[in-house]
Every structure is written in structure tokens, then in C-alpha cells.
Amino acid sequence: MKTDDEGRAGLLYGIGAYGMWGLVPLFWPLLKPAGAIEILAHRMVWSLVFVGLALLALRRWGWVRELASSPRKLGMITLAATVITVNWGLYIWSVNTGHVVEASLGYFINPLVTIALGVLVLKERLRPAQWAAVGVGFSAVLVLAIGYGRPPWISLTLAFSFAVYGLVKKKVNIGGLESLAAETAVQFLPALGYLIWLGTQGDLAFGAHGGGHTALLVATGVVTALPLICFGAAAIRVPLSTLGLLQYLAPTFQFLLGVVYFHEAMPAERWAGFSLVWLALTILTWDALRTARRSRVAVEAAKAAAAAEAIEVDAPAEASEAGGSEADAIEADAPAPVPPARAGS
């Protein structure tokens, strides 16, 4: 019962995380007239404040010493902070300039880009279905490039930056909340310096448009950290395959917001390109589920074989022990045997 409850809680946490990421395009326009770079700087500063308070409440500081004593990990964290800065900044700009649909495409094709990086960087071998999905995804990018009259650079930049970010985080291998704290610590001083510079120029929106606007800028820390906390809670409660399916909620919500709420144009060639992307993701998801099912069957078969082997090993041993006990009893009742004659005596 406890496992079922944890599974349901994990599913709700996952839906909450990806739901918040999917609905975040509704939040960034509320921060205007602040520019995209100022919003980004506030996101970095207030995220560190919020995450720092969360870690203080949880008393989770042991990772700091380990991280500080590893120059390699510090370098990787700095790289992750740089890459996610590009991702965050471009996403905020794209939403606030009317490119929500193109931004959503970036997160649709992100799994395909992640697979491609696995082949190029980690030398991973793909299954035929994965190759097919990557090929269809590449065709989709070509169709969209023709439709846009240019490469979908917003989508590609978001997809590649987030894929590289995921690759770096995999190598660093620290918790989500701790990782965000370390990354925003790297971002903090440049972001704070930029905000101070904007203030000296008289261009700082913070505090200049009422208390509600100021509170919204402060809330960028919560908007950044809260989905990550929910994601971390989901990751330890539900299978990876379930998380893999839930990840499509965020770009789906973003796409629907772009088309239905923001009324962005979707000519036929864009529908064709998105349809190819969705086909590629369908192939990828089908292959992942099939592979996971085969793995479960193989594990169960191995467990059954091991159990059967254990029974076979135990049965002769029990029979031998029983036979030995009977022989001992007979030997105890029988007269003492006459020792055999030695050769040559």
C-alpha cells in the first residue's frame, strides 16, 4: 500500500513539475517592461536566495566541501551554469517576443538531440528504432527550416543547450537542488553586478513599477526552483520510463499556449514539421517502452532461473543429510567392525 501511495505521489509530483514548466510562458510576460536580460539576472539572484533558504531548512550542506575540493567538478558546474544561462535567457526572450511555438519545438526535439550527443560524445550505440527517430527528426528540422525561411535557430539552440546541460549534470552527479544552488552561485555575482549597473544607468525595472511587479521579479526564484523540487520528488518515486513520458507534457502545454492563447501563426509547413517531430517522438517512446518491457522480462526470467537453481542445489543436500542421519543411526546400533588386514602382515 505504501508503495502504491508513493507511486501516486510521484506521478502527481511529476505532473506538477512538467505542468509548471509547461505553463511558465504565462509568467514571463507579466515581468514586462523589464527586459529579458534583467529578468534573467533576477532569476539567477533570487533562485540562489530561495534555494539557499531551502538547503538551510533541510540542513544539506555536506556536498559543498566535496564540491569545493574537486576542481574538475567545479569546472563542470561552471560549464553547466554557462550553458543554462544561454538556455534561460533565450527562452525568456523567445516567449516575450512572440516565439512560444518555436521555443516549444526546442523541447520537443531535445530527446533526439540528447540521443545524438550520446552517439557523438559518449560513443553510445543506437538501436534501429532510435536511428529511425533521429532520421525523422532531422527531416522535420529541414521541413521547418523551409517553412520558416531559415533554420529554426531558437529551437535548435534551446535543444542543444539543454542537452549539453543534461550531459554535464550527469557527469557532475549531485542532487538537483544542490546542483541548482552551485550553478546559481556561479551566476550570482555577474547577475548582481548587471542589476547594479542597470540601476546606475536608471534603467532598472525592479522597484520602479509598483510592489506587485517587484514581487513578481522576486518570485522568479520560486518559479525556477519549485518545479525542480517537484521533479526531484518524482524521480525517486516513479520509474524512469514514466518520467520519460511525462517530459512531453511541458512542450505540449507550451505549444498549445503558443497556438491557442498567444495566437501564433501555424501555416501548413509548420504543421508538417511538427507532425514529423511527433512521429519521431512516437517511435522513440515505443522503442523505449518495448526495451523496458524486455528488460523486465529478462530480469524476471533470470530471477526465476536463479530460484530454480537454488532449489535444485538444496534438494540433494537435504537428501544427503537425511541419508547421512539414517546411516549414522544404523551404524550406532551395529557391532564394531573388524579392522581390515594390512597388506604384508
Side-chain angles (χ1 to χ4, degrees):
M1 184 59 129
K2 184 178 179 182
T3 302
D4 292 341
D5 291 342
E6 286 187 352
R8 282 193 290 269
L11 189 61
L12 291 175
Y13 278 126
I15 293 172
Y18 286 108
M20 284 185 277
W21 279 324
L23 296 176
V24 78
L26 296 173
F27 178 72
W28 303 125
L30 300 177
L31 305 182
K32 294 178 180 179
I37 300 179
E38 181 182 347
I39 295 172
L40 174 64
H42 280 292
R43 187 178 191 180
M44 295 170 178
V45 169
W46 297 112
S47 291
L48 180 61
V49 172
F50 182 81
V51 173
L53 290 174
L55 290 173
L56 189 64
L58 296 172
R59 297 181 179 179
R60 282 160 52 177
W61 296 105
W63 58 275
V64 176
R65 183 178 300 174
E66 180 184 350
L67 182 62
S69 63
S70 174
R72 179 181 172 277
K73 282 192 174 184
L74 283 174
M76 299 296 282
I77 285 290
T78 302
L79 177 58
T82 302
V83 173
I84 203 62
T85 296
V86 173
N87 184 276
W88 284 357
L90 180 58
Y91 186 79
I92 293 168
W93 176 86
S94 63
V95 169
N96 284 359
T97 54
H99 296 90
V100 176
V101 169
E102 193 172 350
S104 74
L105 175 63
Y107 293 102
F108 273 126
I109 66 176
N110 173 252
L112 301 172
V113 174
T114 300
I115 289 175
L117 282 181
V119 174
L120 297 174
V121 179
L122 302 178
K123 307 302 180 185
E124 295 177 352
R125 299 181 64 182
L126 300 186
R127 295 182 293 274
Q130 291 176 310
W131 278 117
V134 171
V136 173
F138 182 74
S139 301
V141 171
L142 290 179
V143 170
L144 289 165
I146 295 171
Y148 280 108
R150 56 171 174 79
W153 66 270
I154 293 175
S155 308
L156 293 174
T157 304
L158 289 174
F160 273 95
S161 60
F162 201 72
V164 171
Y165 177 68
L167 180 64
V168 173
K169 282 177 73 75
K170 182 178 180 180
K171 289 183 175 295
V172 174
N173 193 28
I174 63 174
L177 202 61
E178 292 86 350
S179 178
L180 181 62
E183 291 154 20
T184 50
V186 172
Q187 297 167 332
F188 181 80
L189 288 179
L192 184 62
Y194 177 76
L195 292 175
I196 293 172
W197 178 80
L198 275 184
T200 62
Q201 301 298 307
D203 297 326
L204 187 67
F206 186 78
H209 301 279
H213 185 263
T214 300
L216 286 173
L217 286 170
V218 173
T220 54
V222 180
V223 169
T224 300
L226 190 57
L228 186 64
I229 293 172
C230 289
F231 174 80
I236 62 175
R237 290 176 172 86
V238 299
L240 192 60
S241 58
T242 303
L243 280 182
L245 292 174
L246 289 176
Q247 72 175 324
Y248 299 129
L249 285 177
T252 299
F253 287 164
Q254 294 165 12
F255 174 79
L256 292 174
L257 284 174
V259 174
V260 177
Y261 183 81
F262 293 104
H263 304 292
E264 294 185 15
M266 278 295 292
E269 57 272 18
R270 291 188 192 174
W271 280 113
F274 270 85
S275 297
L276 286 172
V277 170
W278 294 330
L279 174 60
L281 293 177
T282 300
I283 295 171
L284 201 61
T285 302
W286 168 79
D287 178 68
L289 292 175
R290 184 185 62 168
T291 303
R293 186 163 52 249
R294 286 181 175 178
S295 298
R296 284 196 300 270
V297 170
V299 169
E300 290 172 2
K303 287 181 179 178
E309 185 178 351
I311 292 172
E312 290 177 2
V313 169
D314 290 342
E318 291 174 359
S320 176
E321 289 175 2
S325 298
E326 292 177 1
D328 291 343
I330 294 171
E331 185 176 349
D333 293 336
V338 177
R342 293 184 181 179
S345 59

